Amino acid sequence: MERVVAQGTFDILHPGHVHYLRDAASMGEELHVIVARSENVTHKPSPIISGPQRVEMVEALEPVDHARLGHPEDIFIPIEEIEPSVIALGHDQHHDVAGIEAALAERGLDCEVVRASGREARPDEILSTGQIIEKILDERA
């Protein structure tokens, strides 16, 4: 069975997340999603929503077969447990593909690292958690 891993913060779900997970699911037969722990999110503000709640929301999405919180210290431990054929990165995620491939090779993990496609926002959409938060603050503060 071809397992795919997608990962992210998934703080406030929006259509961009759904697009990413649909695209990732199309790369294999089973989609596993690793939801980043709040303490491991260092490249942007900490999530607003708790980790367990983010996992519950992601797991409820149609393309997702399994969702779990990431490991608190080693992001590759869940990948070792899942044994995916593909790791699908979001089109705009900050990860370095070559760096991930090197870390996987060091651990003897044989899987492809692929960038998912992006999605253009329609005029009435916001495809960024940060932009959703900004709009709430602007309109409700």
Side-chain angles (χ1 to χ4, degrees):
M1 173 173 297
E2 290 228 345
R3 291 186 194 100
V4 179
V5 164
Q7 60 75 44
T9 307
F10 304 102
D11 190 16
I12 297 174
L13 293 177
H14 54 72
H17 289 130
V18 175
H19 174 82
Y20 167 41
L21 296 174
R22 283 180 178 151
D23 197 15
S26 74
M27 297 176 193
E29 299 167 291
E30 188 175 82
L31 178 60
H32 293 253
V33 180
I34 301 170
V35 176
R37 290 179 177 268
S38 296
E39 62 267 26
N40 293 343
V41 178
T42 58
H43 62 288
K44 59 185 176 182
S46 293
I48 303 293
I49 308 299
S50 73
Q53 184 176 334
R54 290 181 285 123
V55 169
E56 183 178 348
M57 295 302 295
V58 166
E59 194 161 44
L61 297 174
E62 178 270 325
V64 178
D65 295 299
H66 305 280
R68 65 165 84 184
L69 275 177
H71 191 273
E73 291 136 21
D74 186 342
I75 63 169
F76 290 97
I77 287 177
I79 294 169
E80 290 174 332
E81 293 169 354
I82 296 165
E83 297 180 340
S85 303
V86 177
I87 295 175
L89 302 177
H91 80 100
D92 63 350
Q93 288 179 335
H94 70 283
H95 302 294
D96 170 41
V97 173
I100 292 171
E101 289 172 337
L104 292 168
E106 263 182 42
R107 291 172 177 253
L109 297 169
D110 182 26
C111 64
E112 185 180 8
V113 180
V114 178
R115 285 252 178 226
S117 65
R119 179 179 182 279
E120 291 294 319
R122 295 182 197 121
D124 61 336
E125 291 182 319
I126 303 173
L127 303 183
S128 160
T129 298
Q131 289 175 358
I132 291 170
I133 292 169
E134 286 176 23
K135 184 169 183 167
I136 292 169
L137 291 173
D138 288 346
E139 293 187 10
R140 305 262 171 102

